[in-house]
Amino acid sequence: MKTLIRAGWTLWLPVLLVTIWWFASANSTNIYVPSLSRIVEVLWRDISSGLLIDAARVSLTNLAVGLLIAAAVGILLGLLIGETRRLRLILDPYIHFFRSVPQSALVPLIIGAMGIGAAPKIYTVAFACVWPILLNTIDGVRGVEPTIRSVSRVFGVPKLLYFRRVVLPGAMPQVVAGLRVALPIGIVVMVVSELFASNQGLGFYILNSSATFQIPETWGGALMVGVIGYIIVIMFSLFERRVLSWYFRSGAL
Amino acid sequence: MTTTHTRAPSAETKAPRRSALLQRDWSLLAQRLGALGIILALWQAAVLTGLLPSITPTVPEVTLGLWTAVTSTSFWTALGQTLSAATAGWIISCVLGVFLGLLIGPLRWLDRSTSVTVEFGRAFPTIALMPVILLLLGATTSMQITMVVLSALWPVLVQSILGARRLDPGIADTVRIYRIPRLLWFRRVLLPSALPFVTTGVRIAASISILAAVGIEVLTQVPGIGRMITLAQEAQRWDLAFAYLFFAGLFGWTVTALLARAESSLLAWNRQASG
Protein backbone atom coordinates (compact mmCIF):
# COMPACT_ATOMS: atom_id res chain seq x y z
CA MET A 1 0.00 0.00 0.00
CA LYS A 2 2.78 2.35 0.99
CA THR A 3 4.69 1.71 -2.23
CA LEU A 4 1.47 2.22 -4.16
CA ILE A 5 0.99 5.65 -2.63
CA ARG A 6 4.58 6.54 -3.35
CA ALA A 7 4.24 5.40 -6.96
CA GLY A 8 1.11 7.50 -7.24
CA TRP A 9 2.95 10.54 -5.95
CA THR A 10 5.83 10.18 -8.37
CA LEU A 11 3.86 9.13 -11.43
CA TRP A 12 0.77 11.32 -11.53
CA LEU A 13 2.48 14.23 -13.27
CA PRO A 14 4.07 12.26 -16.16
CA VAL A 15 0.80 10.39 -16.67
CA LEU A 16 -1.14 13.66 -16.68
CA LEU A 17 1.27 15.26 -19.15
CA VAL A 18 1.07 12.33 -21.56
CA THR A 19 -2.73 12.31 -21.25
CA ILE A 20 -2.92 16.02 -22.02
CA TRP A 21 -0.65 15.51 -25.02
CA TRP A 22 -2.76 12.57 -26.20
CA PHE A 23 -6.05 14.48 -26.16
CA ALA A 24 -4.72 17.88 -27.18
CA SER A 25 -3.07 16.44 -30.27
CA ALA A 26 -5.92 14.05 -31.13
CA ASN A 27 -7.58 16.39 -33.61
CA SER A 28 -4.45 18.23 -34.66
CA THR A 29 -4.69 19.72 -38.13
CA ASN A 30 -1.10 20.96 -38.16
CA ILE A 31 0.75 18.45 -40.33
CA TYR A 32 3.92 19.05 -38.30
CA VAL A 33 2.20 18.04 -35.06
CA PRO A 34 0.69 14.62 -35.63
CA SER A 35 -1.56 13.11 -32.99
CA LEU A 36 0.17 11.09 -30.30
CA SER A 37 -1.93 8.06 -31.14
CA ARG A 38 -0.62 8.19 -34.70
CA ILE A 39 2.98 8.49 -33.45
CA VAL A 40 2.55 5.50 -31.15
CA GLU A 41 0.93 3.51 -33.95
CA VAL A 42 3.86 4.22 -36.30
CA LEU A 43 6.39 3.49 -33.59
CA TRP A 44 4.75 0.16 -32.83
CA ARG A 45 4.64 -0.74 -36.53
CA ASP A 46 8.37 -0.05 -37.00
CA ILE A 47 9.39 -1.71 -33.75
CA SER A 48 7.50 -4.91 -34.49
CA SER A 49 8.82 -5.01 -38.06
CA GLY A 50 12.34 -4.90 -36.58
CA LEU A 51 13.27 -1.73 -38.45
CA LEU A 52 13.75 0.37 -35.34
CA ILE A 53 15.32 -2.47 -33.39
CA ASP A 54 18.01 -2.83 -36.05
CA ALA A 55 18.55 0.93 -36.11
CA ALA A 56 18.89 1.00 -32.33
CA ARG A 57 21.33 -1.90 -32.44
CA VAL A 58 23.58 -0.06 -34.91
CA SER A 59 23.52 3.19 -32.91
CA LEU A 60 24.05 1.55 -29.55
CA THR A 61 26.94 -0.57 -30.82
CA ASN A 62 28.71 2.55 -32.08
CA LEU A 63 28.05 4.27 -28.78
CA ALA A 64 29.27 1.33 -26.70
CA VAL A 65 32.47 0.80 -28.69
CA GLY A 66 33.25 4.53 -28.64
CA LEU A 67 32.68 4.70 -24.90
CA LEU A 68 34.81 1.64 -24.26
CA ILE A 69 37.71 3.13 -26.22
CA ALA A 70 37.29 6.43 -24.37
CA ALA A 71 37.19 4.65 -21.00
CA ALA A 72 40.27 2.53 -21.73
CA VAL A 73 42.34 5.46 -23.00
CA GLY A 74 41.03 7.93 -20.43
CA ILE A 75 41.59 5.68 -17.41
CA LEU A 76 45.06 4.48 -18.48
CA LEU A 77 46.32 7.95 -19.34
CA GLY A 78 44.60 9.37 -16.27
CA LEU A 79 46.40 6.93 -13.96
CA LEU A 80 49.71 7.78 -15.59
CA ILE A 81 49.24 11.55 -15.62
CA GLY A 82 47.69 11.64 -12.16
CA GLU A 83 50.64 9.78 -10.67
CA THR A 84 53.26 11.94 -12.36
CA ARG A 85 53.05 15.44 -10.95
CA ARG A 86 55.27 17.02 -13.60
CA LEU A 87 53.33 15.50 -16.49
CA ARG A 88 50.11 16.69 -14.94
CA LEU A 89 51.32 20.28 -14.57
CA ILE A 90 52.62 20.37 -18.12
CA LEU A 91 49.60 18.80 -19.83
CA ASP A 92 46.89 20.44 -17.72
CA PRO A 93 46.11 23.41 -20.04
CA TYR A 94 45.98 21.17 -23.12
CA ILE A 95 43.61 18.68 -21.55
CA HIS A 96 41.33 21.51 -20.45
CA PHE A 97 41.45 22.96 -23.91
CA PHE A 98 40.39 19.71 -25.59
CA ARG A 99 37.71 19.27 -22.95
CA SER A 100 36.30 22.68 -23.97
CA VAL A 101 36.03 22.01 -27.70
CA PRO A 102 32.28 21.82 -28.43
CA GLN A 103 32.12 18.12 -29.25
CA SER A 104 29.48 18.52 -31.94
CA ALA A 105 31.90 20.70 -33.96
CA LEU A 106 34.11 17.63 -34.43
CA VAL A 107 31.43 15.78 -36.33
CA PRO A 108 31.84 17.46 -39.76
CA LEU A 109 35.62 17.16 -39.54
CA ILE A 110 35.84 13.51 -38.61
CA ILE A 111 32.97 12.35 -40.82
CA GLY A 112 34.11 14.58 -43.69
CA ALA A 113 37.58 13.10 -43.45
CA MET A 114 36.67 9.46 -42.96
CA GLY A 115 33.30 8.97 -44.63
CA ILE A 116 29.92 7.90 -43.28
CA GLY A 117 30.71 4.39 -42.06
CA ALA A 118 30.71 3.20 -38.46
CA ALA A 119 34.40 3.90 -37.69
CA PRO A 120 34.27 7.72 -37.88
CA LYS A 121 31.20 7.76 -35.62
CA ILE A 122 32.96 5.57 -33.10
CA TYR A 123 36.03 7.82 -33.20
CA THR A 124 33.92 10.92 -32.73
CA VAL A 125 32.18 9.44 -29.69
CA ALA A 126 35.50 8.24 -28.29
CA PHE A 127 37.20 11.59 -28.82
CA ALA A 128 34.33 13.50 -27.23
CA CYS A 129 34.05 11.19 -24.23
CA VAL A 130 37.71 10.70 -23.40
CA TRP A 131 38.30 14.14 -21.85
CA PRO A 132 35.85 14.08 -18.94
CA ILE A 133 36.98 10.54 -18.11
CA LEU A 134 40.63 11.57 -18.28
CA LEU A 135 40.17 14.70 -16.15
CA ASN A 136 38.17 12.84 -13.52
CA THR A 137 40.63 9.97 -13.34
CA ILE A 138 43.46 12.47 -12.79
CA ASP A 139 41.44 14.12 -10.02
CA GLY A 140 40.67 10.74 -8.50
CA VAL A 141 44.33 9.67 -8.51
CA ARG A 142 45.32 12.94 -6.88
CA GLY A 143 42.72 12.35 -4.19
CA VAL A 144 44.27 9.06 -3.05
CA GLU A 145 45.31 9.37 0.57
CA PRO A 146 49.02 10.40 0.79
CA THR A 147 49.57 8.03 3.72
CA ILE A 148 48.42 5.05 1.67
CA ARG A 149 50.73 6.19 -1.07
CA SER A 150 53.78 6.39 1.18
CA VAL A 151 52.95 3.11 2.92
CA SER A 152 52.88 1.38 -0.47
CA ARG A 153 56.21 2.96 -1.29
CA VAL A 154 57.80 1.99 2.02
CA PHE A 155 56.70 -1.62 1.63
CA GLY A 156 57.99 -1.67 -1.93
CA VAL A 157 54.66 -2.70 -3.47
CA PRO A 158 55.35 -3.56 -7.14
CA LYS A 159 54.26 -0.79 -9.54
CA LEU A 160 51.65 -2.85 -11.37
CA LEU A 161 50.08 -4.18 -8.19
CA TYR A 162 50.15 -0.67 -6.75
CA PHE A 163 48.23 0.72 -9.72
CA ARG A 164 45.74 -2.11 -9.79
CA ARG A 165 45.02 -2.49 -6.11
CA VAL A 166 45.74 0.93 -4.60
CA VAL A 167 45.39 3.77 -7.09
CA LEU A 168 42.60 2.40 -9.27
CA PRO A 169 40.19 1.53 -6.43
CA GLY A 170 41.02 4.82 -4.72
CA ALA A 171 40.23 6.76 -7.87
CA MET A 172 37.18 4.64 -8.72
CA PRO A 173 34.44 6.99 -7.45
CA GLN A 174 35.86 9.79 -9.57
CA VAL A 175 36.37 7.51 -12.56
CA VAL A 176 32.73 6.44 -12.42
CA ALA A 177 31.68 10.08 -12.06
CA GLY A 178 33.68 10.79 -15.21
CA LEU A 179 31.87 7.99 -17.03
CA ARG A 180 28.58 9.44 -15.83
CA VAL A 181 29.50 12.81 -17.37
CA ALA A 182 30.76 11.17 -20.56
CA LEU A 183 27.67 9.04 -21.12
CA PRO A 184 25.18 11.80 -22.10
CA ILE A 185 27.90 13.52 -24.16
CA GLY A 186 28.40 10.23 -26.00
CA ILE A 187 24.67 9.88 -26.67
CA VAL A 188 24.45 13.46 -28.00
CA VAL A 189 27.50 13.01 -30.23
CA MET A 190 26.13 9.70 -31.51
CA VAL A 191 22.85 11.37 -32.48
CA VAL A 192 24.55 14.41 -34.03
CA SER A 193 26.91 12.25 -36.07
CA GLU A 194 23.98 10.23 -37.41
CA LEU A 195 21.90 13.30 -38.12
CA PHE A 196 24.86 14.82 -39.96
CA ALA A 197 25.39 11.97 -42.39
CA SER A 198 24.56 8.29 -42.15
CA ASN A 199 22.87 5.41 -43.87
CA GLN A 200 21.76 3.44 -40.84
CA GLY A 201 20.98 3.92 -37.17
CA LEU A 202 18.37 5.83 -35.18
CA GLY A 203 19.60 9.23 -36.38
CA PHE A 204 19.24 8.03 -39.95
CA TYR A 205 15.68 6.91 -39.25
CA ILE A 206 14.84 10.42 -37.99
CA LEU A 207 16.73 12.18 -40.78
CA ASN A 208 15.27 10.02 -43.51
CA SER A 209 11.69 10.33 -42.30
CA SER A 210 11.89 14.12 -41.97
CA ALA A 211 13.46 14.43 -45.43
CA THR A 212 10.57 12.42 -46.91
CA PHE A 213 7.94 14.27 -44.84
CA GLN A 214 6.90 11.25 -42.80
CA ILE A 215 6.31 13.47 -39.80
CA PRO A 216 4.90 10.85 -37.36
CA GLU A 217 8.03 8.75 -37.98
CA THR A 218 10.24 11.77 -37.20
CA TRP A 219 8.47 12.32 -33.89
CA GLY A 220 8.53 8.61 -33.15
CA GLY A 221 12.26 8.35 -33.81
CA ALA A 222 12.97 11.35 -31.59
CA LEU A 223 10.88 9.84 -28.78
CA MET A 224 12.61 6.49 -29.23
CA VAL A 225 16.06 8.09 -28.91
CA GLY A 226 14.89 9.99 -25.84
CA VAL A 227 13.51 6.94 -24.11
CA ILE A 228 16.64 4.92 -24.92
CA GLY A 229 18.82 7.73 -23.56
CA TYR A 230 16.75 7.82 -20.39
CA ILE A 231 16.97 4.05 -19.91
CA ILE A 232 20.75 4.11 -20.42
CA VAL A 233 21.22 6.83 -17.82
CA ILE A 234 18.97 5.03 -15.30
CA MET A 235 20.81 1.76 -15.88
CA PHE A 236 24.11 3.50 -15.37
CA SER A 237 23.07 4.91 -12.02
CA LEU A 238 22.03 1.41 -10.91
CA PHE A 239 25.39 0.07 -12.08
CA GLU A 240 27.14 2.90 -10.25
CA ARG A 241 25.37 2.16 -7.01
CA ARG A 242 26.39 -1.46 -7.32
CA VAL A 243 30.04 -0.91 -8.21
CA LEU A 244 30.51 1.79 -5.62
CA SER A 245 28.34 0.33 -2.89
CA TRP A 246 31.35 0.29 -0.54
CA TYR A 247 31.87 3.98 -1.20
CA PHE A 248 28.27 4.98 -0.57
CA ARG A 249 28.19 2.80 2.56
CA SER A 250 31.32 4.46 3.91
CA GLY A 251 29.39 7.72 4.00
CA ALA A 252 32.20 9.50 2.18
CA LEU A 253 29.67 11.56 0.26
CA MET B 1 24.88 15.00 -10.62
CA THR B 2 27.59 16.36 -12.77
CA THR B 3 29.18 18.28 -9.97
CA THR B 4 31.87 15.85 -8.99
CA HIS B 5 34.24 16.45 -11.87
CA THR B 6 34.65 20.10 -11.09
CA ARG B 7 35.83 19.91 -7.53
CA ALA B 8 38.07 22.80 -6.55
CA PRO B 9 41.73 21.83 -6.80
CA SER B 10 43.37 21.14 -3.47
CA ALA B 11 45.85 23.71 -2.27
CA GLU B 12 48.99 22.08 -3.45
CA THR B 13 51.59 24.77 -3.76
CA LYS B 14 53.12 25.35 -0.37
CA ALA B 15 53.89 29.04 -0.88
CA PRO B 16 57.63 28.92 -1.44
CA ARG B 17 59.71 32.09 -1.59
CA ARG B 18 58.66 34.51 -4.28
CA SER B 19 61.73 34.28 -6.47
CA ALA B 20 61.67 30.48 -6.44
CA LEU B 21 58.01 30.56 -7.39
CA LEU B 22 58.65 32.90 -10.29
CA GLN B 23 61.48 30.76 -11.52
CA ARG B 24 59.36 27.65 -11.37
CA ASP B 25 56.58 29.41 -13.27
CA TRP B 26 58.99 30.21 -16.06
CA SER B 27 60.38 26.71 -16.25
CA LEU B 28 56.85 25.27 -16.23
CA LEU B 29 55.88 27.61 -19.05
CA ALA B 30 58.94 26.53 -21.01
CA GLN B 31 58.05 22.87 -20.46
CA ARG B 32 54.47 23.49 -21.54
CA LEU B 33 55.66 25.17 -24.72
CA GLY B 34 57.99 22.22 -25.24
CA ALA B 35 55.07 19.84 -24.89
CA LEU B 36 53.11 21.89 -27.40
CA GLY B 37 56.07 21.65 -29.78
CA ILE B 38 56.12 17.87 -29.37
CA ILE B 39 52.36 17.60 -29.99
CA LEU B 40 52.61 19.72 -33.15
CA ALA B 41 55.67 17.81 -34.35
CA LEU B 42 53.84 14.50 -33.86
CA TRP B 43 50.88 15.87 -35.82
CA GLN B 44 53.11 17.05 -38.64
CA ALA B 45 54.91 13.71 -38.72
CA ALA B 46 51.60 11.82 -38.75
CA VAL B 47 50.38 13.85 -41.72
CA LEU B 48 53.61 13.52 -43.66
CA THR B 49 53.91 9.76 -43.12
CA GLY B 50 50.26 9.23 -44.08
CA LEU B 51 49.18 7.99 -40.65
CA LEU B 52 46.31 10.50 -40.60
CA PRO B 53 43.83 10.72 -43.50
CA SER B 54 45.43 12.46 -46.48
CA ILE B 55 43.16 15.48 -46.26
CA THR B 56 44.43 16.44 -42.78
CA PRO B 57 46.15 19.80 -43.12
CA THR B 58 49.74 20.24 -41.95
CA VAL B 59 50.70 22.48 -39.06
CA PRO B 60 51.80 25.44 -41.26
CA GLU B 61 48.57 25.18 -43.24
CA VAL B 62 46.46 25.35 -40.08
CA THR B 63 48.55 28.25 -38.77
CA LEU B 64 47.84 30.09 -42.01
CA GLY B 65 44.18 29.12 -41.67
CA LEU B 66 44.09 30.63 -38.18
CA TRP B 67 45.43 33.88 -39.59
CA THR B 68 42.95 33.85 -42.48
CA ALA B 69 40.11 33.30 -40.01
CA VAL B 70 41.12 36.06 -37.60
CA THR B 71 41.48 38.60 -40.38
CA SER B 72 38.14 37.82 -42.05
CA THR B 73 34.96 39.62 -40.99
CA SER B 74 32.77 36.61 -41.73
CA PHE B 75 34.52 34.69 -38.97
CA TRP B 76 33.82 37.38 -36.37
CA THR B 77 30.21 37.69 -37.52
CA ALA B 78 29.77 33.94 -37.17
CA LEU B 79 31.36 33.94 -33.74
CA GLY B 80 29.04 36.76 -32.69
CA GLN B 81 26.01 34.86 -33.96
CA THR B 82 26.94 31.72 -32.06
CA LEU B 83 27.76 33.71 -28.95
CA SER B 84 24.48 35.65 -28.93
CA ALA B 85 22.31 32.57 -29.57
CA ALA B 86 24.12 30.57 -26.89
CA THR B 87 23.96 33.46 -24.41
CA ALA B 88 20.27 34.12 -25.02
CA GLY B 89 19.42 30.45 -24.52
CA TRP B 90 21.67 30.24 -21.51
CA ILE B 91 20.11 33.24 -19.77
CA ILE B 92 16.57 31.98 -20.41
CA SER B 93 17.55 28.55 -19.05
CA CYS B 94 19.11 30.06 -15.95
CA VAL B 95 16.14 32.29 -15.10
CA LEU B 96 13.61 29.54 -15.79
CA GLY B 97 15.65 26.82 -14.08
CA VAL B 98 16.42 28.78 -10.92
CA PHE B 99 12.83 29.99 -10.61
CA LEU B 100 11.31 26.53 -11.05
CA GLY B 101 14.00 24.82 -8.99
CA LEU B 102 13.63 27.11 -5.99
CA LEU B 103 9.88 26.71 -6.26
CA ILE B 104 9.99 22.91 -6.40
CA GLY B 105 12.90 22.20 -4.03
CA PRO B 106 11.48 23.38 -0.68
CA LEU B 107 8.03 21.83 -1.22
CA ARG B 108 8.22 18.14 -0.54
CA TRP B 109 5.03 17.14 -2.36
CA LEU B 110 5.97 19.12 -5.47
CA ASP B 111 9.50 17.74 -5.36
CA ARG B 112 8.19 14.18 -5.26
CA SER B 113 5.62 14.80 -7.96
CA THR B 114 8.08 16.30 -10.43
CA SER B 115 11.05 14.02 -9.80
CA VAL B 116 10.34 11.53 -12.62
CA THR B 117 9.54 14.28 -15.10
CA VAL B 118 12.70 16.22 -14.24
CA GLU B 119 14.83 13.07 -14.38
CA PHE B 120 13.37 12.20 -17.76
CA GLY B 121 13.98 15.70 -19.10
CA ARG B 122 17.55 15.66 -17.91
CA ALA B 123 18.35 12.27 -19.38
CA PHE B 124 16.57 12.99 -22.66
CA PRO B 125 19.09 13.65 -25.45
CA THR B 126 17.41 16.89 -26.55
CA ILE B 127 19.28 17.01 -29.83
CA ALA B 128 17.06 14.16 -31.03
CA LEU B 129 14.14 16.61 -31.03
CA MET B 130 16.00 18.89 -33.42
CA PRO B 131 14.38 17.62 -36.65
CA VAL B 132 10.94 18.05 -35.10
CA ILE B 133 11.66 21.57 -33.82
CA LEU B 134 13.23 22.34 -37.18
CA LEU B 135 9.99 21.36 -38.93
CA LEU B 136 7.99 23.54 -36.57
CA LEU B 137 10.17 26.66 -36.46
CA GLY B 138 12.42 26.41 -39.53
CA ALA B 139 16.18 27.04 -39.60
CA THR B 140 15.93 30.24 -37.59
CA THR B 141 17.67 31.75 -34.61
CA SER B 142 14.54 31.26 -32.51
CA MET B 143 14.70 27.53 -33.30
CA GLN B 144 18.34 27.54 -32.21
CA ILE B 145 17.56 29.36 -28.96
CA THR B 146 14.65 26.99 -28.28
CA MET B 147 16.98 24.02 -28.69
CA VAL B 148 19.59 25.63 -26.43
CA VAL B 149 16.98 26.22 -23.72
CA LEU B 150 15.64 22.68 -24.01
CA SER B 151 19.20 21.36 -23.52
CA ALA B 152 20.59 23.76 -20.92
CA LEU B 153 17.53 24.15 -18.69
CA TRP B 154 17.92 20.77 -16.98
CA PRO B 155 21.25 21.14 -15.18
CA VAL B 156 20.14 24.49 -13.73
CA LEU B 157 16.80 23.05 -12.69
CA VAL B 158 18.26 19.91 -11.13
CA GLN B 159 20.98 21.80 -9.27
CA SER B 160 18.51 24.43 -8.02
CA ILE B 161 16.19 21.73 -6.70
CA LEU B 162 19.13 20.05 -4.95
CA GLY B 163 20.27 23.35 -3.49
CA ALA B 164 16.82 24.30 -2.24
CA ARG B 165 16.29 20.82 -0.82
CA ARG B 166 19.38 21.08 1.33
CA LEU B 167 17.99 23.94 3.43
CA ASP B 168 18.79 23.20 7.08
CA PRO B 169 15.56 22.08 8.88
CA GLY B 170 16.62 24.09 11.93
CA ILE B 171 16.77 27.24 9.86
CA ALA B 172 13.45 26.39 8.23
CA ASP B 173 11.85 26.06 11.66
CA THR B 174 13.37 29.32 12.86
CA VAL B 175 12.05 31.09 9.79
CA ARG B 176 8.57 29.70 10.41
CA ILE B 177 8.53 30.57 14.09
CA TYR B 178 9.65 34.16 13.55
CA ARG B 179 7.23 34.52 10.64
CA ILE B 180 9.90 35.87 8.34
CA PRO B 181 8.17 37.43 5.29
CA ARG B 182 8.12 35.20 2.21
CA LEU B 183 10.19 37.54 0.03
CA LEU B 184 12.83 38.15 2.68
CA TRP B 185 13.02 34.43 3.33
CA PHE B 186 13.54 33.81 -0.38
CA ARG B 187 16.18 36.49 -0.78
CA ARG B 188 18.18 36.06 2.42
CA VAL B 189 17.70 32.41 3.36
CA LEU B 190 16.78 30.19 0.43
CA LEU B 191 18.83 31.83 -2.30
CA PRO B 192 22.16 32.03 -0.40
CA SER B 193 21.77 28.49 0.87
CA ALA B 194 21.10 27.13 -2.60
CA LEU B 195 23.69 29.31 -4.33
CA PRO B 196 26.66 26.91 -4.33
CA PHE B 197 24.52 24.32 -6.13
CA VAL B 198 22.89 26.82 -8.44
CA THR B 199 26.23 28.21 -9.65
CA THR B 200 27.40 24.71 -10.56
CA GLY B 201 24.26 24.21 -12.62
CA VAL B 202 24.69 27.60 -14.26
CA ARG B 203 28.27 26.74 -15.19
CA ILE B 204 27.35 23.34 -16.65
CA ALA B 205 24.49 25.01 -18.54
CA ALA B 206 26.94 27.45 -20.14
CA SER B 207 29.04 24.71 -21.73
CA ILE B 208 25.91 22.81 -22.77
CA SER B 209 24.56 26.01 -24.36
CA ILE B 210 27.67 26.38 -26.49
CA LEU B 211 27.61 22.69 -27.37
CA ALA B 212 23.95 22.86 -28.40
CA ALA B 213 24.29 26.14 -30.32
CA VAL B 214 27.27 24.84 -32.30
CA GLY B 215 25.59 21.46 -32.81
CA ILE B 216 22.49 23.09 -34.30
CA GLU B 217 24.66 25.14 -36.65
CA VAL B 218 26.56 22.05 -37.75
CA LEU B 219 23.33 20.22 -38.57
CA THR B 220 21.17 22.99 -40.07
CA GLN B 221 21.45 26.17 -42.11
CA VAL B 222 21.53 28.39 -39.02
CA PRO B 223 24.52 30.74 -39.39
CA GLY B 224 27.38 30.66 -36.89
CA ILE B 225 30.75 29.11 -36.20
CA GLY B 226 29.40 25.56 -36.46
CA ARG B 227 27.94 26.35 -39.88
CA MET B 228 31.33 27.77 -40.91
CA ILE B 229 32.98 24.48 -40.00
CA THR B 230 30.49 22.50 -42.09
CA LEU B 231 30.85 24.91 -45.01
CA ALA B 232 34.66 24.79 -44.87
CA GLN B 233 34.50 21.00 -44.79
CA GLU B 234 32.12 20.90 -47.78
CA ALA B 235 34.41 23.26 -49.69
CA GLN B 236 37.39 21.01 -48.82
CA ARG B 237 39.05 23.90 -47.00
CA TRP B 238 40.41 21.68 -44.24
CA ASP B 239 42.87 24.28 -43.00
CA LEU B 240 39.98 26.66 -42.31
CA ALA B 241 37.84 23.91 -40.80
CA PHE B 242 40.59 23.09 -38.31
CA ALA B 243 41.15 26.78 -37.60
CA TYR B 244 37.45 27.27 -36.82
CA LEU B 245 37.48 24.18 -34.65
CA PHE B 246 40.43 25.60 -32.76
CA PHE B 247 38.60 28.88 -32.18
CA ALA B 248 35.46 27.04 -31.12
CA GLY B 249 37.60 25.27 -28.51
CA LEU B 250 39.27 28.50 -27.43
CA PHE B 251 35.85 30.10 -27.12
CA GLY B 252 34.52 27.26 -24.97
CA TRP B 253 37.65 27.30 -22.85
CA THR B 254 37.44 31.06 -22.24
CA VAL B 255 33.81 30.84 -21.18
CA THR B 256 34.51 27.94 -18.81
CA ALA B 257 37.50 29.70 -17.28
CA LEU B 258 35.66 33.00 -16.80
CA LEU B 259 32.68 31.31 -15.17
CA ALA B 260 34.88 29.22 -12.88
CA ARG B 261 36.60 32.41 -11.74
CA ALA B 262 33.30 34.25 -11.25
CA GLU B 263 31.95 31.31 -9.27
CA SER B 264 34.90 31.11 -6.91
CA SER B 265 34.77 34.84 -6.15
CA LEU B 266 31.01 34.73 -5.69
CA LEU B 267 31.24 31.79 -3.30
CA ALA B 268 34.29 32.93 -1.34
CA TRP B 269 32.15 33.23 1.82
CA ASN B 270 30.92 29.68 1.47
CA ARG B 271 34.38 28.16 1.26
CA GLN B 272 35.52 30.06 4.32
CA ALA B 273 32.46 29.04 6.27
CA SER B 274 32.86 25.36 5.49
CA GLY B 275 36.61 25.39 5.99
Side-chain angles (χ1 to χ4, degrees), chain A residues 175-253:
Chain A
V175 172
V176 174
L179 288 173
R180 177 158 26 82
V181 176
L183 192 61
I185 295 179
I187 297 175
V188 168
V189 170
M190 174 196 84
V191 176
V192 172
S193 72
E194 288 179 354
L195 287 179
F196 185 76
S198 61
N199 47 21
Q200 48 186 348
L202 288 170
F204 174 70
Y205 178 86
I206 298 175
L207 189 69
N208 191 40
S209 60
S210 85
T212 53
F213 275 93
Q214 294 169 289
I215 312 298
E217 279 83 347
T218 312
W219 280 83
L223 284 184
M224 177 94 175
V225 171
V227 170
I228 289 179
Y230 179 66
I231 293 174
I232 293 177
V233 171
I234 297 291
M235 269 167 43
F236 186 80
S237 65
L238 290 179
F239 156 82
E240 181 178 17
R241 214 161 295 167
R242 215 186 151 94
V243 170
L244 294 180
S245 55
W246 57 273
Y247 179 67
F248 289 116
R249 266 205 309 274
S250 73
L253 277 179

Side-chain angles (χ1 to χ4, degrees), chain B residues 1-19:
Chain B
M1 283 162 295
T2 33
T3 53
T4 4
H5 71 294
T6 41
R7 201 170 280 167
S10 58
E12 198 171 5
T13 39
K14 293 168 199 78
R17 269 179 293 125
R18 204 179 159 73
S19 60

Side-chain angles (χ1 to χ4, degrees), chain B residues 154-223:
Chain B
W154 305 102
V156 185
L157 180 59
V158 169
Q159 288 294 110
S160 303
I161 293 176
L162 280 176
R165 213 188 265 166
R166 141 199 121 111
L167 191 62
D168 192 331
I171 295 179
D173 286 344
T174 314
V175 166
R176 198 167 318 128
I177 290 167
Y178 283 97
R179 301 206 177 138
I180 307 281
R182 208 66 184 154
L183 206 67
L184 188 67
W185 165 78
F186 179 82
R187 213 157 51 83
R188 303 304 295 269
V189 179
L190 185 63
L191 202 57
S193 135
L195 203 58
F197 282 75
V198 172
T199 50
T200 307
V202 164
R203 193 158 40 78
I204 297 170
S207 40
I208 292 184
S209 298
I210 297 174
L211 175 63
V214 174
I216 296 300
E217 292 162 5
V218 164
L219 291 175
T220 68
Q221 318 277 324
V222 177

Side-chain angles (χ1 to χ4, degrees), chain B residues 34-57:
Chain B
L36 181 64
I38 294 174
I39 295 172
L40 292 180
L42 281 177
W43 180 356
Q44 182 75 3
V47 175
L48 291 182
T49 55
L51 210 63
L52 284 172
S54 56
I55 50 88
T56 318

Side-chain angles (χ1 to χ4, degrees), chain B residues 13 18 45 47 69 87 121 134 146 149 168-169 184 192 224 227 231-232 242 253 266-268 272:
Chain B
T13 39
R18 204 179 159 73
V47 175
T87 313
L134 183 66
T146 309
V149 173
D168 192 331
L184 188 67
R227 179 87 186 123
L231 285 177
F242 271 84
W253 180 81
L266 188 66
L267 294 181
Q272 270 169 354

